[in-house]
């Protein structure tokens, strides 16, 4: 399929909407009351620090809702207002945050059901409204919805669209897109649907495996087995790694994407020589500013003398996991939770480990004076952060009384 031509014709369709419906002012107050927090504003005004009883909170200087997420949530609210009676669907969680997604359900914005790991679009009828989330949707899904004559409201973040443009460019010049990301993540699924030949590389360990194959060859079957779910159909590692371009899932750790770009650039330079480099390697900085800012703020925060960290964000939120990784790498006791109810009674906390497992840790809140670092991922509303801070302060106050 000519994905670029399809996208262009879709954008000209009267059923396609990507700029909102002019109800911004009306929904602004509603969004503010549902997601903003006066406590968080107070902490911002006090140089990102709060002192309550024997608890000192240091908040990261960039955290929470990013521009792309705010825009997507606002567009979803606007969609409900603009189509008050139509059935409204969303192809996936609007963003990776349970409270926002719960709110969508309350507003009768329904999720496409998933049967046996596959989305069942049978439920969607002509004339229904379908929202595409901030991290986008695959071109096949867009095509299907277009054929069904649905009204499509596309909230895809422009940063994600920028990556799609990059892989389109690789395809045009017959380069393989090396996508730094998680092959199952919806954004990467969408990005790979616009790519021609692609290979999805999760981390530096995999990148090193690939560059070693480029330089020295290797076991082709092993290569194909390793990337069986992470490459384009018919991918041939002996032919399709001669010309590569870099792209990424926008929420991956920036330093790792850069490292990955460098290792591929060096490899192509070694194999083909500096004068031929441009014929074999295309770099592209596609990491979004929001991810970058939150990671930089986290790096500053972990330099402070913290007793523990709380990282708040959806359990399937990639950028939140990256923030948690930074804290753990510094050896700081850090707990990734998605809402304040994960803080259980009796000094217990239920949190997500880096490998995705849920764990309950006992005695996580130390006695006496404590300094707690707090941050949240790009899909977390301020109100959720406020709830967590209030719960910690309340627990500590109760402990003092006892
Ligand atoms: S994290 Fe970045 S790419 Fe993702 S929605 Fe926010 S601004 Fe867009």
């Amino acid at each position: 399929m000519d994905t670029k031509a399809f996208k262009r014709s879709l954008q000209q369709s009267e059923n396609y909407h990507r700029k909102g419906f002019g109800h911004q002012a009306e929904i602004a107050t509603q969004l503010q009351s549902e997601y903003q927090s006066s406590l968080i504003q107070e902490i911002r005004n006090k140089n990102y620090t709060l002192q309550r009883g024997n608890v000192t909170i240091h908040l990261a200087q960039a955290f929470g809702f990013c521009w792309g997420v705010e825009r997507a949530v606002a567009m979803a609210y606007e969609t409900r207002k603009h189509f008050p009676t139509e059935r409204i669907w969303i192809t996936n969680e609007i963003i990776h945050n349970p409270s926002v997604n719960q709110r969508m359900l309350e507003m009768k914005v329904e999720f496409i059901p998933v049967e046996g790991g596959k989305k069942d679009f049978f439920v969607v009828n002509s004339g229904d409204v379908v929202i595409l989330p901030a991290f986008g949707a695959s071109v096949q899904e867009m095509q299907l919805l277009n054929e069904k004559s649905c009204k499509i409201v596309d909230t895809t973040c422009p940063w994600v669209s920028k990556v799609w443009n990059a892989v389109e460019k690789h395809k045009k010049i017959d380069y393989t897109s090396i996508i730094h990301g998680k092959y199952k993540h919806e954004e990467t699924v969408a990005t790979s649907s616009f790519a021609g030949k692609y290979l999805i590389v999760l981390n530096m360990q995999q990148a090193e495996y690939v560059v070693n194959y480029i330089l020295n060859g290797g076991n082709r079957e092993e290569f194909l087995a390793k990337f069986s779910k992470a490459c384009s159909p018919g991918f041939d590692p002996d032919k399709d790694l001669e010309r590569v371009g870099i792209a990424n899932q926008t929420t991956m750790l920036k330093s790792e994407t850069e490292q990955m770009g460098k290792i591929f650039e060096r490899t192509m330079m070694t194999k083909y020589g500096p004068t031929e480099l441009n014929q074999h390697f295309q770099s592209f900085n596609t990491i979004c500013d929001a991810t970058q800012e939150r990671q930089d703020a986290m790096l500053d925060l972990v330099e402070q003398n913290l007793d523990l960290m709380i990282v708040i964000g959806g359990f399937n939120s990639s950028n939140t996991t990256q923030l948690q990784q930074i804290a753990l790498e510094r050896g700081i006791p850090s707990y990734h939770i998605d809402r304040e109810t994960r803080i259980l009674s009796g000094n217990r906390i239920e949190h997500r480990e880096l490998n995705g497992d849920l764990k309950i840790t006992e005695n996580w809140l130390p006695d006496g004076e404590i300094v707690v670092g707090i941050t949240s991922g790009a899909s977390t509303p301020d109100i959720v952060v406020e709830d967590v801070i209030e719960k910690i302060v309340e627990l500590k106050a109760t402990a003092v009384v006892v």
Side-chain angles (χ1 to χ4, degrees), residues 66-69 134-135 157-160 187 250-251 288-291 319 378:
C66 63
W67 172 82
V69 160
F135 39 76
C157 175
W159 277 99
V160 175
E187 184 187 314
T250 53
T251 47
C288 82
D289 285 344
T291 305
N319 72 87

Side-chain angles (χ1 to χ4, degrees), residues 361-372:
T361 296
E362 312 263 346
N363 300 319
W364 63 282
L365 204 52
D367 291 336
E369 301 258 334
I370 57 165
V371 181
V372 184

Side-chain angles (χ1 to χ4, degrees), residues 15 83 86-87 124-130 148-151:
N15 276 338
F83 299 105
E86 280 84 344
R87 201 155 184 197
V124 181
N125 293 311
S126 164
D128 285 0
V129 180
V130 183
K148 277 179 172 272
S149 300
C150 298
K151 298 180 181 75

